[in-house]
Amino acid sequence: MVSKMIQPRLTQLFRFVRCSYADGVAELAYAFDDGEELVERIRFPHAPAIPAGHAAAFDAALKLLHLIAGVSYYKAGVPPKIEVASGPLDDATAELLDQLYLHGLAEFAYRNGLDLRGRITFPRGAAAQPPAPAAGLPKRTLVPIGGGKDSLVAVEAIKSIGGEATAVWVGNSALIAACAERTGLPTLNIQRELAPGLFELNRLGAWNGHIPVTAVNSAILAVAAILYGYDSIAFANERSASAATLEYEGQQVNHQWSKGYAFEQLLGNWLHTHVASDLDYCSLLRPYSELAITRAFAKLMPYFDAFSSCNRNFKLLGPKPADRWCGQCPKCHFVFLALAPFLPKPRLLSIFGRNLLDDENQASGFDALLEYQDHKPFECVGEGAEARAAMYALSQRPEWQEDALIERFRSEILPQLDASQLALEPWLEPSAEHHVPTRLQPALATIG
Ligand SMILES: CC(=O)N[C@H]1[C@@H](OP(=O)(O)OP(=O)(O)OC[C@H]2O[C@@H](n3ccc(=O)[nH]c3=O)[C@H](O)[C@@H]2O)O[C@H](CO)[C@@H](O)[C@@H]1O[C@H](C)C(=O)N[C@@H](C)C(=O)N[C@@H](CCC(=O)O)C(=O)O
Ligand SMILES: Nc1ncnc2c1ncn2[C@@H]1O[C@H](COP(=O)(O)OP(=O)(O)OP(=O)(O)O)[C@@H](O)[C@H]1O
């Protein structure tokens, strides 16, 4: 309960009050103006003592987690001033946060009619510390699991090179837990409890919207890597995640910004210099498009009855889909379309329990994926051009031609497209751009 009633949208100052860690629980405290503290808690199960000699690395990772997780609270008021109680930040840290808050909240700003440019300035001025030394971390990998296809492709790639890995997830989703179990890897489930005061602020009319949640999960896993002893964190963020959802008044708005390559490099470099030079943060799927990943996932049949990419499963509050796939949202639309070229049709329909491409009511949802009369949805979906390539491929296959939305594509949309831009094959080629450490690079060759 935020006893001192605050009108979140009228606040002038956002404060990073303190962060602490004891007995497996990190406490992250924030406040607006002179209001009550908002305290988020992260629980690390069966946490060992902080390893001898790793206290500085742990403190640096915890401090970054505090600064990054603040984005959920800062957004409630977006006041003009930010204060960090422990003092100003060095330039690299302030830059990382300025970028994350500006770009990671770009969708939030766009949808709320706000302009955050020039508003977000983390206090800087602290002298840069000497680069962090190596911590001698064990050669094993934390592989975050999101319940969807991407992380399962990453898991199988690491397994295929005999890499030692743990499947890790944040939050208490039973669906993610089932996928993690299915990998056969050791598992680690970290709990995250948002400050209850945030929900009260939401009721009081706080600004609300999308936050860069992958950055928060990444910072939690950096703390976990030092605590439990892992030298690498391998996310499953695809190449397409770097593409903007839309451009608005000269600013790119990307729903998936903290899944993109720019953030991966910023955070990876920051962890090397500020936490431990041997802690690697990367995305194993960075060279691959969504279509290359769905092609790889189509070979992983043991996961078909466990996974779901539908984000409605992952809400903290409110109802969840009865059968893993709501069948209505952009993620359901996109994953159905992107898997279709690589799976026998009956197999695909059995995963989703229905045929989304034979349902006229879903036309506008698929149109948005194709960027036809609409922009790409604010969701984790592939590029418009790859959705068009998948749709075109289906339109050439006899088994799909009579489905309502494929028929509509052929008669209404296809004549307006440049046929030379519709091939599927170029999307299956990996790009050379990635930040994957040498030790894990052999896994890249196993995808595709
Ligand atoms: C599950 C989901 O999509 N949630 C988004 C949704 O939240 P909603 O209000 O419908 O329900 P809850 O998830 O229960 O959240 C309740 C309120 O809590 C606040 N909040 C939640 C998590 C958090 O980390 N920080 C928070 O501040 C917020 O006030 C919620 O209203 O709509 C919200 C508003 O637009 C979104 O912020 C919720 O998104 C979650 C943070 C979330 O986990 N979303 C992922 C499924 C997601 O979007 N993943 C992206 C990753 C992109 C990235 O750059 O990280 C993706 O896969 O593309
Ligand atoms: N609750 C979570 N805990 C830890 N990592 C997560 C969590 N949710 C998502 N991630 C990770 O964030 C990254 C992006 O999530 P995303 O939803 O795109 O992947 P996914 O669930 O594996 O696949 P899909 O695209 O099919 O949903 C992935 O590496 C995923 O493992």
Side-chain angles (χ1 to χ4, degrees), residues 124-208:
R124 53 178 85 199
Q129 298 294 307
L137 296 165
K139 297 209 174 317
R140 50 188 197 150
T141 306
L142 284 174
V143 190
I145 306 289
K149 59 194 172 10
D150 300 1
S151 34
L152 298 170
V153 170
V155 162
E156 292 304 316
I158 291 180
K159 279 163 70 176
S160 72
I161 60 161
E164 192 183 339
T166 293
V168 57
W169 71 104
V170 177
N172 59 6
S173 160
L175 191 154
I176 299 182
C179 286
E181 288 300 332
R182 194 67 68 94
T183 66
L185 295 177
T187 59
L188 174 64
N189 179 204
I190 298 167
Q191 292 297 326
R192 174 173 180 230
E193 188 189 299
L194 284 163
L198 178 64
F199 301 103
E200 198 187 339
L201 289 177
N202 285 344
R203 278 192 294 277
L204 291 171
W207 296 111
N208 201 0

Coordinates of all heavy atoms in Angstrom, one line a residue, residues 124-208:
R124 N 25.6 11.1 -14.2 CA 26.9 10.6 -14.4 C 28.0 11.5 -13.9 O 27.7 12.6 -13.4 CB 27.1 10.3 -15.9 CG 26.8 11.5 -16.8 CD 27.1 11.2 -18.3 NE 26.0 10.5 -19.0 CZ 26.2 9.8 -20.1 NH1 27.4 9.7 -20.7 NH2 25.1 9.3 -20.7
G125 N 29.2 11.0 -13.8 CA 30.3 11.8 -13.3 C 31.3 11.0 -12.5 O 32.4 11.4 -12.2
A126 N 30.9 9.7 -12.1 CA 31.8 8.9 -11.4 C 33.0 8.5 -12.3 O 32.8 8.3 -13.5 CB 31.1 7.7 -10.9
A127 N 34.2 8.4 -11.7 CA 35.3 8.0 -12.5 C 35.2 6.6 -12.9 O 34.6 5.7 -12.2 CB 36.6 8.1 -11.7
A128 N 35.6 6.2 -14.1 CA 35.5 4.9 -14.6 C 36.5 4.0 -13.8 O 37.6 4.4 -13.4 CB 35.9 4.8 -16.1
Q129 N 36.0 2.8 -13.4 CA 36.8 1.9 -12.6 C 37.7 1.1 -13.6 O 37.4 1.0 -14.8 CB 35.9 0.9 -11.9 CG 35.0 1.5 -10.9 CD 35.7 2.1 -9.7 OE1 36.5 1.4 -9.1 NE2 35.5 3.4 -9.5
P130 N 38.9 0.5 -13.1 CA 39.6 -0.3 -14.0 C 38.8 -1.5 -14.4 O 37.9 -1.9 -13.7 CB 40.8 -0.8 -13.1 CG 40.7 -0.1 -11.8 CD 39.4 0.6 -11.7
P131 N 39.0 -2.0 -15.6 CA 38.2 -3.1 -16.1 C 38.2 -4.3 -15.2 O 39.2 -4.6 -14.5 CB 38.9 -3.5 -17.4 CG 39.7 -2.4 -17.8 CD 40.1 -1.7 -16.6
A132 N 37.0 -5.0 -15.1 CA 36.9 -6.1 -14.1 C 37.8 -7.2 -14.5 O 38.0 -7.5 -15.7 CB 35.4 -6.6 -14.1
P133 N 38.4 -7.9 -13.6 CA 39.3 -9.1 -13.9 C 38.4 -10.3 -14.2 O 37.2 -10.3 -14.0 CB 40.1 -9.3 -12.6 CG 39.2 -8.7 -11.5 CD 38.4 -7.6 -12.1
A134 N 39.0 -11.4 -14.6 CA 38.3 -12.6 -14.8 C 37.9 -13.2 -13.4 O 38.7 -13.0 -12.5 CB 39.2 -13.6 -15.6
A135 N 36.8 -13.8 -13.4 CA 36.4 -14.4 -12.1 C 36.6 -15.9 -12.0 O 36.3 -16.5 -11.0 CB 34.9 -14.1 -11.8
G136 N 37.2 -16.5 -13.1 CA 37.4 -17.9 -13.1 C 36.1 -18.7 -13.0 O 36.0 -19.7 -12.3
L137 N 35.1 -18.2 -13.8 CA 33.8 -18.9 -13.7 C 33.8 -20.2 -14.4 O 34.5 -20.4 -15.4 CB 32.7 -18.0 -14.4 CG 32.5 -16.6 -13.7 CD1 31.8 -15.6 -14.6 CD2 31.8 -16.8 -12.4
P138 N 33.1 -21.2 -13.8 CA 33.0 -22.5 -14.5 C 32.4 -22.4 -15.9 O 31.6 -21.6 -16.2 CB 32.0 -23.3 -13.6 CG 32.0 -22.6 -12.3 CD 32.3 -21.1 -12.6
K139 N 32.9 -23.3 -16.8 CA 32.5 -23.3 -18.2 C 31.2 -23.9 -18.4 O 31.1 -25.1 -18.8 CB 33.6 -23.9 -19.1 CG 34.9 -23.2 -19.0 CD 35.7 -23.3 -20.2 CE 37.0 -22.4 -20.2 NZ 36.7 -21.0 -19.6
R140 N 30.1 -23.3 -18.0 CA 28.8 -23.8 -18.2 C 27.8 -22.6 -18.4 O 28.1 -21.5 -18.1 CB 28.4 -24.7 -17.0 CG 28.5 -24.0 -15.7 CD 28.3 -25.0 -14.5 NE 28.1 -24.3 -13.3 CZ 27.3 -24.7 -12.3 NH1 26.6 -25.8 -12.4 NH2 27.2 -24.0 -11.2
T141 N 26.7 -22.9 -19.0 CA 25.9 -21.9 -19.6 C 24.5 -21.9 -19.0 O 23.9 -22.9 -18.8 CB 25.7 -22.2 -21.1 OG1 27.0 -22.3 -21.7 CG2 25.0 -21.1 -21.8
L142 N 24.0 -20.7 -18.7 CA 22.6 -20.5 -18.3 C 21.8 -20.3 -19.6 O 22.1 -19.4 -20.3 CB 22.4 -19.3 -17.4 CG 22.8 -19.4 -15.9 CD1 22.7 -18.0 -15.2 CD2 22.0 -20.4 -15.2
V143 N 20.8 -21.1 -19.8 CA 20.0 -21.0 -21.0 C 18.6 -20.6 -20.6 O 17.8 -21.4 -20.0 CB 19.9 -22.3 -21.9 CG1 19.2 -21.9 -23.2 CG2 21.2 -22.8 -22.1
P144 N 18.2 -19.3 -20.7 CA 16.8 -18.9 -20.3 C 15.8 -19.5 -21.2 O 15.9 -19.7 -22.4 CB 16.8 -17.4 -20.6 CG 18.2 -17.0 -21.0 CD 19.0 -18.2 -21.3
I145 N 14.7 -19.9 -20.5 CA 13.6 -20.6 -21.2 C 12.4 -19.7 -21.1 O 12.0 -19.3 -20.0 CB 13.3 -22.0 -20.5 CG1 14.5 -22.8 -20.4 CG2 12.1 -22.7 -21.2 CD1 15.0 -23.4 -21.7
G146 N 11.7 -19.5 -22.3 CA 10.5 -18.6 -22.3 C 9.3 -19.3 -22.6 O 8.2 -18.7 -22.7
G147 N 9.3 -20.6 -22.7 CA 8.1 -21.4 -23.0 C 7.8 -21.6 -24.5 O 7.0 -22.4 -24.9
G148 N 8.5 -20.7 -25.3 CA 8.3 -20.8 -26.7 C 9.3 -21.6 -27.5 O 10.2 -22.2 -26.9
K149 N 9.3 -21.5 -28.8 CA 10.2 -22.3 -29.7 C 11.6 -21.9 -29.6 O 12.5 -22.7 -29.7 CB 9.7 -22.2 -31.1 CG 9.7 -20.8 -31.6 CD 8.9 -20.6 -32.9 CE 8.7 -19.2 -33.3 NZ 9.4 -18.1 -32.6
D150 N 11.9 -20.5 -29.5 CA 13.2 -20.1 -29.7 C 14.2 -20.6 -28.7 O 15.3 -21.1 -29.0 CB 13.3 -18.5 -29.6 CG 12.4 -17.9 -30.7 OD1 11.8 -18.6 -31.5 OD2 12.3 -16.6 -30.7
S151 N 13.9 -20.6 -27.4 CA 14.8 -21.0 -26.4 C 15.0 -22.5 -26.5 O 16.1 -23.0 -26.2 CB 14.3 -20.6 -25.0 OG 12.9 -20.6 -24.9
L152 N 14.0 -23.2 -27.0 CA 14.2 -24.7 -27.1 C 15.2 -25.0 -28.3 O 15.9 -26.0 -28.2 CB 12.8 -25.4 -27.3 CG 11.9 -25.1 -26.1 CD1 10.5 -25.5 -26.4 CD2 12.4 -25.8 -24.9
V153 N 15.1 -24.2 -29.3 CA 16.1 -24.4 -30.4 C 17.5 -24.2 -29.8 O 18.5 -24.9 -30.1 CB 15.8 -23.5 -31.6 CG1 17.0 -23.4 -32.6 CG2 14.5 -23.9 -32.3
A154 N 17.7 -23.1 -29.0 CA 19.0 -22.8 -28.4 C 19.4 -24.0 -27.5 O 20.6 -24.4 -27.5 CB 18.9 -21.5 -27.6
V155 N 18.5 -24.5 -26.7 CA 18.9 -25.6 -25.8 C 19.4 -26.8 -26.6 O 20.5 -27.3 -26.2 CB 17.6 -26.1 -25.0 CG1 17.8 -27.5 -24.4 CG2 17.3 -25.1 -23.9
E156 N 18.7 -27.1 -27.6 CA 19.1 -28.3 -28.4 C 20.4 -28.1 -29.1 O 21.2 -29.0 -29.2 CB 18.0 -28.7 -29.4 CG 16.8 -29.3 -28.7 CD 17.0 -30.5 -27.8 OE1 17.8 -31.4 -28.1 OE2 16.5 -30.5 -26.7
A157 N 20.7 -26.8 -29.5 CA 22.0 -26.5 -30.1 C 23.1 -26.7 -29.1 O 24.2 -27.3 -29.4 CB 22.0 -25.1 -30.7
I158 N 22.9 -26.3 -27.9 CA 24.0 -26.4 -26.9 C 24.1 -27.9 -26.5 O 25.3 -28.4 -26.4 CB 23.7 -25.5 -25.7 CG1 23.8 -24.1 -26.1 CG2 24.6 -25.9 -24.5 CD1 23.5 -23.1 -25.0
K159 N 23.0 -28.6 -26.4 CA 23.1 -30.0 -26.1 C 23.9 -30.8 -27.2 O 24.7 -31.7 -26.9 CB 21.7 -30.6 -25.9 CG 21.1 -30.4 -24.6 CD 19.6 -30.6 -24.5 CE 19.1 -32.0 -24.7 NZ 17.7 -32.1 -24.5
S160 N 23.7 -30.3 -28.4 CA 24.3 -31.1 -29.5 C 25.8 -30.9 -29.6 O 26.5 -31.7 -30.2 CB 23.7 -30.7 -30.9 OG 24.1 -29.4 -31.2
I161 N 26.4 -29.9 -28.9 CA 27.8 -29.9 -28.8 C 28.3 -30.3 -27.4 O 29.5 -30.1 -27.1 CB 28.4 -28.4 -29.1 CG1 27.8 -27.4 -28.1 CG2 28.0 -28.0 -30.5 CD1 28.6 -26.1 -28.1
G162 N 27.5 -31.0 -26.7 CA 27.9 -31.5 -25.4 C 28.2 -30.4 -24.4 O 28.9 -30.6 -23.4
G163 N 27.6 -29.2 -24.6 CA 27.8 -28.1 -23.6 C 27.1 -28.4 -22.3 O 26.0 -28.9 -22.3
E164 N 27.8 -28.0 -21.2 CA 27.1 -28.1 -19.9 C 26.2 -26.9 -19.7 O 26.6 -25.7 -19.9 CB 28.1 -28.1 -18.8 CG 27.5 -28.5 -17.4 CD 28.5 -28.5 -16.3 OE1 29.7 -28.6 -16.5 OE2 28.0 -28.4 -15.1
A165 N 24.9 -27.1 -19.4 CA 24.0 -26.0 -19.4 C 22.9 -26.3 -18.4 O 22.6 -27.4 -18.0 CB 23.3 -25.8 -20.8
T166 N 22.2 -25.2 -17.9 CA 21.1 -25.2 -17.0 C 20.0 -24.4 -17.6 O 20.2 -23.3 -18.1 CB 21.4 -24.7 -15.6 OG1 22.4 -25.5 -15.0 CG2 20.2 -24.5 -14.7
A167 N 18.8 -25.0 -17.6 CA 17.6 -24.3 -18.1 C 17.1 -23.4 -17.0 O 16.7 -23.9 -15.9 CB 16.5 -25.3 -18.6
V168 N 17.0 -22.1 -17.3 CA 16.6 -21.2 -16.2 C 15.4 -20.3 -16.6 O 15.3 -20.0 -17.8 CB 17.9 -20.3 -15.8 CG1 18.4 -19.5 -17.0 CG2 17.5 -19.3 -14.7
W169 N 14.6 -20.0 -15.7 CA 13.5 -19.1 -16.0 C 13.1 -18.3 -14.8 O 13.3 -18.6 -13.7 CB 12.3 -19.8 -16.6 CG 11.4 -20.7 -15.7 CD1 10.2 -20.3 -15.2 CD2 11.8 -22.0 -15.2 NE1 9.8 -21.4 -14.4 CE2 10.7 -22.4 -14.4 CE3 12.9 -22.8 -15.4 CZ2 10.7 -23.6 -13.7 CZ3 12.8 -24.1 -14.7 CH2 11.8 -24.4 -13.9
V170 N 12.6 -17.1 -15.1 CA 12.2 -16.1 -14.1 C 10.6 -16.2 -14.0 O 10.0 -16.1 -15.1 CB 12.7 -14.7 -14.5 CG1 12.2 -13.7 -13.5 CG2 14.2 -14.7 -14.6
G171 N 10.1 -16.3 -12.8 CA 8.6 -16.2 -12.7 C 8.1 -17.6 -12.4 O 8.9 -18.6 -12.4
N172 N 6.8 -17.7 -12.3 CA 6.2 -19.0 -11.8 C 5.3 -19.6 -12.9 O 4.3 -20.2 -12.5 CB 5.5 -18.8 -10.5 CG 4.4 -17.8 -10.5 OD1 4.1 -17.4 -11.6 ND2 3.8 -17.5 -9.4
S173 N 5.7 -19.5 -14.1 CA 4.8 -20.1 -15.2 C 5.0 -21.6 -15.2 O 6.1 -22.2 -15.4 CB 5.2 -19.5 -16.5 OG 4.8 -20.4 -17.6
A174 N 3.8 -22.3 -15.0 CA 3.9 -23.8 -15.1 C 4.2 -24.3 -16.5 O 4.9 -25.3 -16.7 CB 2.5 -24.4 -14.7
L175 N 3.8 -23.5 -17.5 CA 4.1 -23.9 -18.9 C 5.6 -23.8 -19.1 O 6.2 -24.8 -19.7 CB 3.4 -22.9 -19.8 CG 3.3 -23.3 -21.3 CD1 2.1 -22.6 -21.9 CD2 4.6 -22.9 -22.0
I176 N 6.3 -22.8 -18.6 CA 7.7 -22.7 -18.8 C 8.4 -23.9 -18.1 O 9.3 -24.5 -18.6 CB 8.3 -21.4 -18.4 CG1 7.7 -20.2 -19.2 CG2 9.8 -21.3 -18.5 CD1 8.2 -18.8 -18.9
A177 N 7.9 -24.1 -16.9 CA 8.5 -25.2 -16.0 C 8.4 -26.5 -16.8 O 9.4 -27.3 -16.8 CB 7.8 -25.3 -14.7
A178 N 7.3 -26.8 -17.5 CA 7.1 -28.0 -18.2 C 8.1 -28.1 -19.4 O 8.7 -29.2 -19.6 CB 5.6 -28.2 -18.7
C179 N 8.3 -27.0 -20.0 CA 9.2 -27.0 -21.2 C 10.7 -27.2 -20.6 O 11.4 -27.9 -21.2 CB 9.2 -25.6 -21.9 SG 7.7 -25.5 -22.9
A180 N 11.0 -26.5 -19.5 CA 12.3 -26.7 -18.9 C 12.6 -28.1 -18.6 O 13.6 -28.7 -18.8 CB 12.5 -25.8 -17.7
E181 N 11.6 -28.8 -17.9 CA 11.7 -30.2 -17.6 C 12.0 -31.0 -18.8 O 12.8 -32.0 -18.8 CB 10.4 -30.7 -16.9 CG 10.2 -30.2 -15.5 CD 11.4 -30.6 -14.5 OE1 12.0 -31.6 -14.7 OE2 11.6 -29.8 -13.6
R182 N 11.2 -30.7 -19.9 CA 11.3 -31.5 -21.1 C 12.7 -31.5 -21.8 O 13.1 -32.4 -22.5 CB 10.2 -31.0 -22.1 CG 9.9 -31.8 -23.3 CD 9.2 -33.1 -23.0 NE 7.8 -33.0 -22.4 CZ 6.7 -33.0 -23.1 NH1 6.7 -33.2 -24.4 NH2 5.5 -33.0 -22.6
T183 N 13.4 -30.4 -21.5 CA 14.8 -30.3 -22.1 C 15.7 -31.4 -21.5 O 16.7 -31.7 -22.1 CB 15.5 -28.9 -21.8 OG1 15.7 -28.8 -20.4 CG2 14.6 -27.8 -22.2
G184 N 15.4 -31.9 -20.3 CA 16.3 -32.9 -19.7 C 17.5 -32.2 -19.0 O 18.3 -32.9 -18.4
L185 N 17.6 -30.9 -19.1 CA 18.7 -30.2 -18.4 C 18.4 -30.0 -17.0 O 17.3 -30.0 -16.6 CB 19.0 -28.9 -19.1 CG 19.4 -28.8 -20.5 CD1 19.5 -27.4 -21.0 CD2 20.8 -29.5 -20.7
P186 N 19.4 -29.8 -16.1 CA 19.2 -29.3 -14.8 C 18.4 -28.0 -14.9 O 18.5 -27.3 -15.9 CB 20.6 -29.0 -14.2 CG 21.5 -29.7 -15.1 CD 20.9 -29.9 -16.4
T187 N 17.5 -27.7 -13.9 CA 16.7 -26.5 -14.0 C 17.0 -25.5 -12.8 O 17.4 -26.0 -11.8 CB 15.2 -26.9 -14.0 OG1 14.9 -27.6 -12.8 CG2 14.8 -27.7 -15.2
L188 N 16.7 -24.3 -13.1 CA 16.8 -23.2 -12.0 C 15.6 -22.3 -12.2 O 15.5 -21.7 -13.3 CB 18.1 -22.5 -12.2 CG 18.4 -21.3 -11.3 CD1 18.4 -21.7 -9.8 CD2 19.7 -20.6 -11.7
N189 N 14.8 -22.1 -11.2 CA 13.6 -21.2 -11.3 C 13.8 -20.1 -10.3 O 13.7 -20.3 -9.1 CB 12.3 -22.0 -11.1 CG 11.1 -21.1 -11.1 OD1 10.1 -21.4 -10.5 ND2 11.1 -20.0 -11.9
I190 N 14.0 -18.9 -10.9 CA 14.2 -17.7 -10.1 C 12.8 -17.0 -10.0 O 12.1 -16.8 -11.0 CB 15.2 -16.8 -10.7 CG1 16.6 -17.5 -10.7 CG2 15.4 -15.5 -9.9 CD1 17.6 -16.9 -11.6
Q191 N 12.4 -16.6 -8.8 CA 11.2 -15.9 -8.6 C 11.3 -14.4 -8.6 O 12.3 -13.9 -8.0 CB 10.5 -16.3 -7.3 CG 10.1 -17.8 -7.2 CD 9.0 -18.1 -8.3 OE1 8.1 -17.3 -8.6 NE2 9.0 -19.3 -8.8
R192 N 10.4 -13.7 -9.2 CA 10.4 -12.2 -9.2 C 9.1 -11.7 -8.7 O 8.0 -12.1 -9.2 CB 10.6 -11.8 -10.7 CG 10.5 -10.3 -10.9 CD 11.0 -9.9 -12.3 NE 10.8 -8.5 -12.4 CZ 10.2 -7.9 -13.4 NH1 9.7 -8.6 -14.4 NH2 10.1 -6.6 -13.4
E193 N 9.1 -10.8 -7.7 CA 7.9 -10.3 -7.1 C 7.9 -8.8 -7.3 O 8.7 -8.1 -6.7 CB 7.9 -10.7 -5.7 CG 6.7 -10.4 -4.9 CD 7.0 -10.6 -3.4 OE1 7.4 -11.8 -3.0 OE2 6.9 -9.7 -2.6
L194 N 7.1 -8.3 -8.2 CA 7.0 -6.8 -8.4 C 6.5 -6.2 -7.1 O 5.8 -6.8 -6.4 CB 6.0 -6.5 -9.5 CG 6.5 -6.8 -11.0 CD1 5.4 -6.8 -11.9 CD2 7.5 -5.7 -11.4
A195 N 6.9 -4.9 -6.9 CA 6.4 -4.2 -5.7 C 4.9 -4.1 -5.8 O 4.4 -3.6 -6.8 CB 7.1 -2.8 -5.7
P196 N 4.2 -4.5 -4.7 CA 2.7 -4.4 -4.8 C 2.3 -3.0 -5.0 O 1.2 -2.7 -5.6 CB 2.3 -4.9 -3.4 CG 3.5 -5.7 -2.9 CD 4.7 -5.1 -3.5
G197 N 3.0 -2.0 -4.6 CA 2.7 -0.6 -4.7 C 2.5 -0.2 -6.2 O 1.8 0.8 -6.5
L198 N 3.2 -0.9 -7.1 CA 3.1 -0.6 -8.5 C 1.6 -0.8 -9.0 O 1.1 0.0 -9.8 CB 4.0 -1.5 -9.4 CG 3.9 -1.3 -10.9 CD1 4.4 0.2 -11.3 CD2 4.8 -2.3 -11.6
F199 N 1.0 -1.9 -8.5 CA -0.4 -2.1 -8.9 C -1.3 -1.1 -8.4 O -2.3 -0.7 -9.0 CB -0.8 -3.5 -8.5 CG 0.1 -4.6 -9.1 CD1 1.1 -5.2 -8.4 CD2 0.0 -4.9 -10.5 CE1 2.0 -6.1 -8.9 CE2 0.9 -5.8 -11.1 CZ 1.9 -6.4 -10.3
E200 N -1.0 -0.5 -7.2 CA -1.8 0.5 -6.6 C -1.6 1.8 -7.5 O -2.5 2.5 -7.8 CB -1.4 0.8 -5.2 CG -2.5 1.6 -4.5 CD -2.1 2.0 -3.1 OE1 -1.2 1.4 -2.5 OE2 -2.7 3.0 -2.6
L201 N -0.3 2.1 -7.9 CA -0.1 3.2 -8.7 C -0.9 3.1 -10.0 O -1.4 4.0 -10.5 CB 1.4 3.4 -9.0 CG 2.3 3.8 -7.8 CD1 3.8 3.8 -8.3 CD2 1.9 5.2 -7.3
N202 N -0.9 1.8 -10.6 CA -1.7 1.6 -11.8 C -3.1 2.0 -11.6 O -3.8 2.6 -12.4 CB -1.6 0.2 -12.3 CG -0.2 -0.1 -12.9 OD1 0.5 0.8 -13.3 ND2 0.1 -1.4 -13.1
R203 N -3.6 1.6 -10.4 CA -5.1 1.9 -10.1 C -5.3 3.5 -10.0 O -6.3 4.0 -10.3 CB -5.5 1.3 -8.8 CG -5.9 -0.2 -9.0 CD -6.7 -0.8 -7.8 NE -5.8 -0.9 -6.7 CZ -5.0 -1.9 -6.4 NH1 -4.9 -2.9 -7.3 NH2 -4.2 -1.9 -5.3
L204 N -4.2 4.1 -9.5 CA -4.3 5.6 -9.4 C -4.1 6.4 -10.7 O -4.0 7.6 -10.7 CB -3.2 6.1 -8.3 CG -3.5 5.7 -6.9 CD1 -2.3 6.0 -6.0 CD2 -4.7 6.3 -6.3
G205 N -3.9 5.6 -11.8 CA -3.8 6.3 -13.1 C -2.4 6.5 -13.5 O -2.1 7.4 -14.3
A206 N -1.5 5.6 -13.1 CA -0.1 5.7 -13.5 C 0.0 5.5 -15.0 O -0.9 4.9 -15.6 CB 0.8 4.7 -12.8
W207 N 1.0 6.0 -15.7 CA 1.3 5.6 -17.0 C 1.6 4.2 -17.0 O 2.2 3.6 -16.1 CB 2.5 6.4 -17.6 CG 2.4 7.9 -17.7 CD1 3.1 8.8 -16.9 CD2 1.6 8.6 -18.6 NE1 2.7 10.1 -17.3 CE2 1.8 10.0 -18.3 CE3 0.8 8.3 -19.6 CZ2 1.2 11.0 -19.0 CZ3 0.1 9.3 -20.3 CH2 0.4 10.6 -20.0
N208 N 1.2 3.5 -18.1 CA 1.4 2.0 -18.1 C 1.7 1.6 -19.6 O 1.3 2.3 -20.5 CB 0.2 1.2 -17.6 CG 0.6 -0.2 -17.2 OD1 1.8 -0.6 -17.3 ND2 -0.3 -0.9 -16.7

